[in-house]
Amino acid sequence: MAIDVILGLQWGDEGKGKIVDYLASDYDIVARFQGGPNAGHTLKFDGKKFVLHTIPSGIFRPAQKNLIGNGVVIDPITLSKELDKLRDAGVSFADRLFISKKAHLILPTHRLLDAASENAKGKAKIGSTLKGIGPTYMDKTGRNGLRVGDIARANFMERYQALKDKHLSLLEIYPPTDFDLEAEEARWMESLNVLRQLLMVDGEYYINEALKEGKKILAEGAQGSMLDIDYGTYPFVTSSNTISAGVCTGLGVAPSQIGEVIGITKAYCTRVGSGPFPTELHDETGERLRAEGGEFGATTGRPRRCGWIDLPQLRYTIMVNGVTQIVMTKIDVLNAFEEIQAGVGYRIDGQQTQLLPYDICDQDIQPIFEAHKGWETTLENITTFEALPQAAKDYVYYIEEQLGVKVSMISTGPEREKLIVK
Ligand code: GDP
Ligand code: IMO
Ligand code: MG
């Protein structure tokens, strides 16, 4: 089994990019399998910071190949900006970055539809990143979409025009939205020329041939399992399968090829956008978590909602993903807290439960917390698990015991080397 998976166990931004970048050197290929530029994966090393949206987080490891799989939706404008930043930083990608021809394209009118649909929802809005994700996946499943491979076909402009016209007629049901379509379209067409210069492959053959040759592959998830289109807090979710099952459809590989499923969780919990979040804190402690953790979106800059870790929620996402090991990130954010809480159950209508209810969006869910002693000291310069303060070790042991899965790594800072392998 040669494909290991890294994915988020919460509502995104768990630190997937950092962990993928750290582990990438142990693999031959890093592949994104779903999502699109709604993702923002932050990497920090050698005093530099990069935020990747479409490009896999293995791109800074010079010997590794990177594949944008067919399950991803691509906005050529964002992609071309990301490539500019790589070029500026002197990172080569011409022979290392591959794009599956079957990946779908985000059109400017997909973004316009996203904005119009969110505006029309008023209070019920999803809090979308407005990158056109929902409308693009709708066209994919509705069998109207344009794919990367289509840009080389003779009838591409005709098909583009037909899809744009369809979008314009759909837009008539919405109030007008502030969006300079002409300017965006010009940028998009220009960016297609950048896309044309990249290595386009039949991603499913590319990956399966690599597997036959014994290559090791790391699949990089985007968003988090609680944003999965099927198992997340619907309708406050994204439009792709963010869970491990998405690897098979998003890369064209058999389930039997999947090896380790590495689930990432913060030592606490955040969410950006609307929707249920049972352990959210609306008080000073929540604000402290936001400040200590620098919890502002990597893609949109929005403040993230903050709260304590939610164990029933994690048990659920461990279950649907088949998680084999956990990486706990941002444990250093808790350094200053004299007391740390963990959500151990919910009270709904006076009843206690550890299960996420079907109607999670409509219920008044009261979290039940268990308190833990904080360590109230810096973790700076700690490089082994043994050297962690006892209270930090105890917190990790507690999480392992509660979840029934080993914590294999603990991240103590945003930089690449700030990682303890347990
Ligand atoms: P992703 O979307 O899962 O890749 O995560 P994001 O990049 O959106 O958000 C994670 C944020 O936390 C980024 O700003 C990272 O630089 C930062 N980060 C990652 N790991 C750690 C950690 O262990 N400690 C701290 N303090 N920050 C971290
Ligand atoms: P990474 O990969 C956190 C959230 C949005 C919104 C909902 C739907 O960086 O962890 P969409 O743009 O998909 O229509 O938004 O999902 N969302 C994310 N939240 N991290 C992400 O990605 C996210 N991608 C989407 O805030 O609530
Ligand atoms: Mg992110």
Side-chain angles (χ1 to χ4, degrees):
M1 290 182 291
I3 301 189
D4 293 339
V5 185
I6 285 194
L7 45 76
L9 294 180
Q10 298 168 314
W11 280 277
D13 304 327
E14 297 90 349
K16 300 174 291 294
K18 178 198 154 150
I19 305 302
V20 171
D21 167 63
Y22 180 89
L23 292 178
S25 51
D26 297 340
Y27 293 85
D28 299 295
I29 300 170
V30 179
R32 275 276 305 268
F33 59 92
Q34 48 68 233
N38 47 350
H41 296 180
T42 314
L43 284 62
K44 279 190 175 175
F45 54 89
D46 302 342
K48 287 173 286 189
K49 173 179 156 176
F50 294 94
V51 180
L52 296 170
H53 303 286
T54 325
I55 297 173
S57 300
I59 201 72
F60 295 100
R61 301 291 197 171
Q64 278 59 33
K65 304 253 192 287
N66 291 266
L67 171 70
I68 302 173
N70 63 278
V72 176
V73 290
I74 296 176
D75 186 337
I77 300 176
T78 314
L79 179 58
S80 114
K81 278 198 230 155
E82 287 182 71
L83 293 172
D84 285 344
K85 290 205 176 119
L86 292 185
R87 231 177 263 118
D88 292 348
V91 177
S92 76
F93 56 81
D95 57 347
R96 296 196 302 122
L97 179 63
F98 298 82
I99 303 190
S100 171
K101 288 181 201 161
K102 292 194 170 87
H104 277 246
L105 286 169
I106 302 176
L107 272 56
T109 39
H110 281 132
R111 282 192 289 138
L112 179 48
L113 275 168
D114 211 0
S117 152
E118 276 284 84
N119 280 343
K121 284 192 162 140
K123 270 194 172 162
K125 73 175 192 306
I126 309 292
S128 163
T129 61
L130 303 180
K131 303 295 178 191
I133 304 295
T136 305
Y137 279 112
M138 278 167 71
D139 273 334
K140 175 179 177 173
T141 52
R143 298 162 293 181
N144 291 307
L146 282 176
R147 303 184 290 179
V148 168
D150 294 335
I151 63 179
R153 296 170 83 179
N155 62 353
F156 177 72
M157 280 316 292
E158 247 167 73
R159 293 185 53 202
Y160 170 82
Q161 195 59 45
L163 189 52
K164 177 184 154 187
D165 288 345
K166 182 191 142 207
H167 292 164
L168 292 178
S169 61
L170 281 174
L171 280 159
E172 281 170 21
I173 63 166
Y174 296 110
T177 306
D178 194 15
F179 191 93
D180 189 345
L181 183 54
E182 232 173 86
E184 292 301 322
E185 199 171 31
R187 283 169 71 202
W188 195 81
M189 292 296 171
E190 222 174 278
S191 306
L192 283 186
N193 292 327
V194 176
L195 201 54
R196 283 194 180 94
Q197 289 156 27
L198 300 179
L199 296 167
M200 292 184 201
V201 291
D202 295 303
E204 61 280 36
Y205 281 117
Y206 179 82
I207 282 286
N208 283 288
E209 275 160 24
L211 284 171
K212 252 190 244 157
E213 289 165 18
K215 298 257 163 45
K216 282 185 76 187
I217 295 159
L218 181 62
E220 173 179 2
Q223 289 77 57
S225 305
M226 292 305 288
L227 292 170
D228 181 271
I229 182 70
D230 284 283
Y231 299 102
T233 46
Y234 193 89
F236 301 99
V237 292
T238 190
S239 299
S240 62
N241 280 116
T242 59
I243 61 168
S244 53
V247 175
C248 297
T249 53
L251 294 178
V253 294
S256 55
Q257 298 286 357
I258 308 285
E260 291 292 310
V261 179
I262 305 167
I264 320 272
T265 173
K266 282 179 186 169
Y268 49 100
C269 192
T270 65
R271 171 166 204 167
V272 58
S274 332
F277 178 2
T279 59
E280 181 173 15
L281 297 167
H282 298 278
D283 58 6
E284 259 177 34
T285 311
E287 272 165 39
R288 239 178 112 195
L289 281 171
R290 185 175 311 116
E292 296 284 339
E295 294 296 355
F296 296 89
T299 296
T300 59
R302 290 178 292 176
R304 294 178 184 143
R305 298 157 62 193
C306 297
W308 297 118
I309 205 164
D310 183 339
L311 298 171
Q313 177 272 301
L314 285 174
R315 269 188 220 112
Y316 178 78
T317 53
I318 286 168
M319 174 181 80
V320 296
N321 283 302
V323 169
T324 58
Q325 50 176 295
I326 289 173
V327 177
M328 185 187 281
T329 57
K330 303 192 89 161
I331 195 168
D332 55 298
V333 173
L334 303 181
N335 287 352
F337 289 80
E338 46 294 334
E339 198 172 71
I340 295 158
Q341 310 274 347
V344 293
Y346 310 127
R347 199 169 281 113
I348 304 171
D349 276 340
Q351 301 283 322
Q352 284 194 21
T353 178
Q354 296 206 348
L355 303 179
L356 270 67
Y358 166 78
D359 47 358
I360 189 166
C361 298
D362 309 315
Q363 292 281 3
D364 177 22
I365 300 177
Q366 297 303 318
I368 303 166
F369 287 118
E370 229 168 61
H372 295 262
K373 202 167 143 316
W375 41 95
E376 296 184 83
T377 178
T378 175
L379 304 181
E380 199 69 30
N381 303 323
I382 291 183
T383 54
T384 63
F385 184 72
E386 288 67 36
L388 281 172
Q390 191 57 45
K393 281 194 261 189
D394 287 345
Y395 184 59
V396 174
Y397 289 140
Y398 170 80
I399 300 290
E400 283 184 328
E401 187 199 310
Q402 286 285 318
L403 299 178
V405 183
K406 283 279 166 221
V407 173
S408 58
M409 281 173 269
I410 297 154
S411 176
T412 59
E415 296 81 16
R416 184 189 272 170
E417 69 279 7
K418 294 236 166 107
L419 196 75
I420 294 173
V421 179
K422 185 161 156 275

